[in-house]
Amino acid sequence: MTGPSRPRPARAPRRASPQLRLKVGFIVIAMVLSVFAARLVQLQGVDPDKYAEMAAAEGSQTVILPATRGEILDRLGEPLAVSIDGRMIVADPSMTADDAPELATLLARRLDLDYVEVLERLRVEGSRFQYIARQVPTSKAEAVVAEAEKKGFVGLFMHRDPVRRYQFGDLAANLLGFLGTPKKDGSARALAGLEDSFNDYLSGEDGEARYEMGAGNLIPLGDNTVSPAIDGSDLTLTLDKRLQFYTQKVLQQTVEGSNAESGIAIIMDSRTGELLALADYPTYDASEPQEWPKSRYKSSALTDVYEPGSTEKVLTLSAVIDAGLGRPRQQYVVPASLNRQDRPIHDHWVHGIEHLTLAGILAKSSNIGTVLAADRFEPGQLRSYLTAFGFGEETGIGLRGETKGLLPDGEAWTDQVDDRIAFGQSLSINAVQMIAAVNAVANDGIRIDPSLVDGSATLDDGTEVGTDQAEERRVISTEAARQTALMMERVLDPVDGVAPLAAVQGYRIAGKTGTAQRVADSCGCYDGSHTASFVGFGPTDDPRFTVYVVVHDSRTGGGGAVAGPAFAKLMSYALRQYGVPPTETRPSRLPVEW
């Protein structure tokens, strides 16, 4: 008999064949590789620059290493403009974004910054480094950052960043200029004067440090590179700080004491043409320029022009002597007035017929006598002399905005203009042009280019300026220069001259007054005001300094009375400071009348 059947055990599932498994594996691998390939095409082909920049931003940080700006020094190495220790304040937006409004309010108020701009910088996405403020005094920067940390703000840091300082306030401010708020890239914003003209020379080149970052921290052995800063060059001037300080004080007293509008005073080394002092008044404080009108930032000694008046007679009469057309003792009959072309010419004093020598014409500052002496010039001859003296061309001492003045030419040089230019009207000059011209007489007839920079320095336009580039040219003969100097001594004679107040006790001094009508900008006509001036050099027998004082719109007198005393103070101070011994020879006694 057959028993009951047993149930079959369950069969295990059959495994896939090796061939099937290989096919499936290849398909999966191909799909993964396709994804990688597509991503690679996107990274390397579609937008490689974008992703490279993202990687660089995520993995590195760049910090500017500021160059130290060169100092501006006087001739003895005394600093006039210096760079002191300062700080830049930077932010890490990944740490400051959450508190940006409150932190921006604090920073804008304490550092005098624009709130909106600071707020934007504190919130820049994907950045770990943003400039907040540049060139902040160290103590101020440290106080602001400490205050922020005390209030619980994080993400502010400081790095070295030198600050410009003008420690003597208004001393030579019209020449030095100043730096304003740095540009957005942190570079200097030079706004006036030598700081502006020589910005590249003084600035140097900022360096750069690039650090690899990981998780917000510096990677010690990462690819870190440093390009060091190249500091700017020092600019040494021909100015003497002592003379500059004294000159500014005397000029201020003179302008204010005569109820005048403005003034200029210059001291030049007669032998070299170096400017030892150049003062403008009114002026401003270079350390606080925002407190003063922008019109004061310039040096009017170079940018403003005016008619020189009778100081120009020195050049006219020296040219007469050089050309062999006259001599100091030559006799002239000077009438009460001289009818010429469109109008009569008068002198500054009322007189009848005068019998003056050429020396007397200069000593008494006769317009009529000067025109009579200049009548002997050939056509164009006087203009040629004035051009050689430097009129009508820039002095090129290194400041922007210099004017070359106005010296008529061609048809503009009429007979009437010729007469007026002979005694200092119908032409315009700047003060540095004038002192350089008269200094040619002091320097035995050789004009030397005036210099403000000692040695050599490069302007932003690539021009080299300074004493090393100063050129010389002979304008008149040595004999003509010396005879003119003797005639100029008579100007200061207490009996025969018009400027005894310009004399310096113990020294022989040669000089000349000037009182010229002023032209108003509004109408291009004479407005009734005057420019009073005095120019001269000493000691006459061996000139060491040439000094020029100009006072615009004085209400108390002409050149001899207003500018003469200031000239005497400046000349006396310069002679003492440089140890020039008193003159042992007697002054000129050339006759002024016959």
Side-chain angles (χ1 to χ4, degrees):
M1 184 171 82
T2 305
S5 61
R6 298 176 181 175
R8 293 181 180 180
R11 181 184 294 179
R14 296 180 63 183
R15 298 177 64 185
S17 66
Q19 292 83 0
L20 179 61
R21 290 198 303 271
L22 286 173
K23 289 180 180 179
V24 173
F26 280 129
I27 290 173
V28 172
I29 292 173
M31 292 175 65
V32 173
L33 290 176
S34 297
V35 172
F36 283 136
R39 183 60 172 165
L40 187 61
V41 169
Q42 181 184 20
L43 289 172
Q44 294 186 339
V46 177
D47 196 3
D49 292 338
K50 175 182 177 182
Y51 288 97
E53 290 175 2
M54 290 175 63
E58 182 68 23
S60 66
Q61 176 176 305
T62 300
V63 177
I64 296 296
L65 303 178
T68 298
R69 192 174 181 85
E71 296 183 344
I72 302 180
L73 312 168
D74 87 336
R75 64 187 299 109
L76 300 177
E78 291 285 339
L80 303 175
V82 298
S83 293
I84 63 173
D85 190 37
R87 295 289 183 267
M88 67 173 74
I89 298 177
V90 299
D92 181 344
S94 69
M95 302 172 68
T96 60
D98 291 343
D99 299 318
E102 297 82 0
L103 182 54
T105 299
L106 170 66
L107 295 172
R109 185 172 63 251
R110 293 288 187 268
L111 299 172
D112 192 25
L113 301 174
D114 180 82
Y115 169 80
V116 174
E117 185 174 340
V118 174
L119 182 64
E120 291 176 351
R121 289 177 178 271
L122 295 174
R123 286 175 165 174
V124 176
E125 294 184 5
S127 173
R128 302 296 304 273
F129 186 94
Q130 287 292 315
Y131 291 110
I132 300 301
R134 293 289 308 269
Q135 299 176 12
V136 182
T138 300
S139 59
K140 184 175 183 179
E142 291 176 345
V144 170
V145 172
E147 182 178 355
E149 292 175 347
K150 185 177 181 180
K151 292 179 179 295
F153 299 122
V154 295
L156 293 182
F157 306 94
M158 292 181 291
H159 297 282
R160 174 183 172 275
D161 200 10
V163 179
R164 202 63 162 174
R165 278 291 174 266
Y166 307 93
Q167 54 199 34
F168 299 109
D170 67 354
L171 188 72
N174 304 85
L175 301 175
L176 298 178
F178 60 93
L179 300 185
T181 303
K183 300 177 183 177
K184 288 187 176 181
D185 63 1
S187 60
R189 190 187 300 273
L191 295 180
L194 297 168
E195 293 278 28
D196 182 26
S197 298
F198 292 93
N199 186 44
D200 292 343
Y201 182 86
L202 292 163
S203 294
E205 296 182 16
D206 288 344
E208 180 181 277
R210 189 176 183 86
Y211 305 109
E212 254 195 305
M213 307 294 291
N217 298 307
L218 177 68
I219 300 176
L221 299 180
D223 185 14
N224 304 321
T225 59
V226 176
S227 299
I230 301 174
D231 291 341
S233 300
D234 291 342
L235 184 67
T236 302
L237 307 182
T238 59
L239 296 181
D240 182 322
K241 186 181 75 174
R242 300 167 302 171
L243 294 188
Q244 181 70 28
F245 178 82
Y246 185 75
T247 299
Q248 290 187 201
K249 293 304 179 185
V250 170
L251 180 62
Q252 178 180 354
Q253 293 168 0
T254 301
V255 172
E256 293 179 350
S258 60
N259 295 316
E261 174 187 291
S262 61
I264 300 165
I266 309 174
I267 301 178
M268 174 180 280
D269 187 315
S270 302
R271 302 169 181 174
T272 66
E274 297 172 11
L275 298 174
L276 304 177
L278 195 163
D280 295 271
Y281 187 80
T283 184
Y284 70 101
D285 186 336
S287 62
E288 298 289 344
Q290 70 279 2
E291 302 295 329
W292 306 92
K294 293 182 179 179
S295 59
R296 297 190 181 188
Y297 296 166
K298 65 184 179 179
S299 174
S300 60
L302 290 160
T303 61
D304 293 358
V305 296
Y306 55 92
E307 294 187 351
S310 294
T311 53
E312 201 269 340
K313 292 171 182 173
V314 170
L315 311 181
T316 299
L317 298 186
S318 69
V320 167
I321 296 173
D322 181 73
L325 305 177
R327 59 187 187 279
R329 296 175 182 269
Q330 188 152 338
Q331 300 172 349
Y332 296 84
V333 176
V334 179
S337 65
L338 186 63
N339 293 317
R340 303 294 287 258
Q341 293 88 35
D342 60 338
R343 69 189 66 177
I345 295 172
H346 299 284
D347 279 327
H348 66 87
W349 80 102
V350 177
H351 62 79
I353 295 177
E354 295 273 354
H355 294 80
L356 301 177
T357 63
L358 193 64
I361 289 172
L362 191 65
K364 295 184 177 297
S365 197
S366 170
N367 295 338
I368 297 171
T370 302
V371 171
L372 294 175
D375 275 346
R376 300 188 63 187
F377 282 126
E378 296 291 331
Q381 193 172 12
L382 176 57
R383 190 182 191 282
S384 295
Y385 272 107
L386 296 179
T387 300
F389 274 117
F391 287 2
E393 63 181 30
E394 294 181 10
T395 64
I397 66 173
L399 282 171
R400 298 187 195 275
E402 180 182 357
T403 175
K404 64 180 182 179
L406 176 63
L407 186 63
D409 193 11
E411 294 181 358
W413 192 290
T414 63
D415 289 342
Q416 296 96 320
V417 168
D418 186 74
D419 285 345
R420 293 169 191 155
I421 285 179
F423 57 82
Q425 292 187 352
S426 295
L427 78 164
S428 62
I429 49 92
N430 69 47
V432 177
Q433 286 177 323
M434 190 66 203
I435 193 172
V438 174
N439 191 64
V441 178
N443 194 43
D444 285 341
I446 298 175
R447 182 190 180 277
I448 310 174
D449 287 341
S451 296
L452 182 59
V453 173
D454 186 28
S456 182
T458 308
L459 293 166
D460 281 5
D461 65 6
T463 304
E464 294 283 332
V465 301
T467 55
D468 291 350
Q469 276 70 45
E471 297 181 352
E472 301 180 0
R473 63 171 176 259
R474 180 167 290 282
V475 182
I476 58 176
S477 68
T478 299
E479 183 60 25
R482 291 177 178 173
Q483 290 185 32
T484 302
L486 294 177
M487 294 197 305
M488 292 171 69
E489 278 193 314
R490 303 296 280 138
V491 173
L492 285 74
D493 187 87
V495 176
D496 297 319
V498 293
L501 295 178
V504 178
Q505 186 174 4
Y507 295 89
R508 290 175 58 184
I509 303 295
K512 183 68 188 77
T513 58
T515 304
Q517 299 181 76
R518 299 180 69 212
V519 176
D521 293 334
S522 58
C523 64
C525 59
Y526 293 123
D527 62 3
S529 63
H530 293 81
T531 293
S533 61
F534 194 95
V535 65
F537 49 85
T540 308
D541 50 351
D542 186 14
R544 186 67 181 83
F545 302 106
T546 303
V547 176
Y548 186 33
V549 178
V550 182
V551 181
H552 293 304
D553 196 15
S554 167
R555 310 298 173 83
T556 59
V562 175
F567 168 91
K569 292 178 182 178
L570 297 178
M571 179 63 77
S572 176
Y573 185 82
L575 292 169
R576 293 198 312 270
Q577 286 296 316
Y578 279 75
V580 179
T583 308
E584 296 182 354
T585 56
R586 296 176 62 83
S588 167
R589 298 304 303 169
L590 283 170
V592 299
E593 297 177 332
W594 58 276

